[in-house]
Amino acid sequence: MTTTDTTPTARRPRTRYDERMYTLMNRREGVELYATAGRRRAVVIAHVLLTAASLAALFSAFATATVWLSFVPLMLLLPWCIATGVINAATRGLLELRTRVLDERQLAERDRVRALAHRLTTYVLLCAVAGGIVVGELGGLTAGGVVLPVLISAFAVHWLMPMWVAGMTAQDEPADETDA
């Protein structure tokens, strides 16, 4: 399914999947959840905390052989998914939509967000390595006991950082002229 608009600045969805995702990411229900910068930041912080709590519960479950802790991420999955949806709605699917669906401004914003996110991830990884070395030296732990949690955490941060940065830097939408 193709569109008839051929102007270079008007990129439109070209497949049913693209149209469905574009429609889903641009729905207006729940706009109150991300209408202001403070609310968007609160959702991103909640998402970061839910991710950290899930990882901490998994690491603790493996380290202490406490089975019930491995179920904590399952309990946190629903609020984590809701927070993910709110961030995606706030950014209008900036990181989820295909390139051909986005216009030039959105493509530039996505590139900016990804560059900033990966720069932040580099700093997080540097701190994780330094922290692993310090914990290993001061705590007397071997590197093997610290490596797996650091690698899993690095993967999670690398995977989620662009979404967190996009949610934190999303701009307020212009007010409708009819609302005045």
Side-chain angles (χ1 to χ4, degrees), residues 15-112:
T15 66
R16 287 186 191 136
Y17 171 79
D18 290 335
E19 286 183 7
R20 192 169 55 246
M21 289 301 292
Y22 183 82
T23 302
L24 179 66
M25 294 294 174
N26 286 283
R27 292 179 66 169
R28 302 302 296 160
E29 295 92 352
V31 71
E32 305 84 26
L33 296 173
Y34 57 85
T36 64
R39 290 180 187 172
R40 286 189 300 275
R41 290 185 179 118
V43 171
V44 171
I45 289 169
H47 195 271
V48 170
L49 292 175
L50 288 166
T51 301
S54 295
L55 291 173
L58 280 177
F59 298 153
S60 297
F62 292 131
T64 64
T66 308
V67 176
W68 70 268
L69 283 173
S70 61
F71 292 105
V72 171
L74 291 175
M75 293 185 301
L76 297 176
L77 185 61
L78 181 62
W80 186 88
C81 287
I82 292 170
T84 299
V86 171
I87 294 170
N88 282 335
T91 61
R92 301 227 178 236
L94 185 70
L95 299 168
E96 303 301 323
L97 295 174
R98 294 181 188 178
T99 300
R100 64 177 167 235
V101 178
L102 302 175
D103 62 22
E104 287 80 11
R105 181 195 57 77
Q106 291 167 318
L107 290 172
E109 177 69 9
R110 181 167 66 179
D111 289 343
R112 187 189 68 72

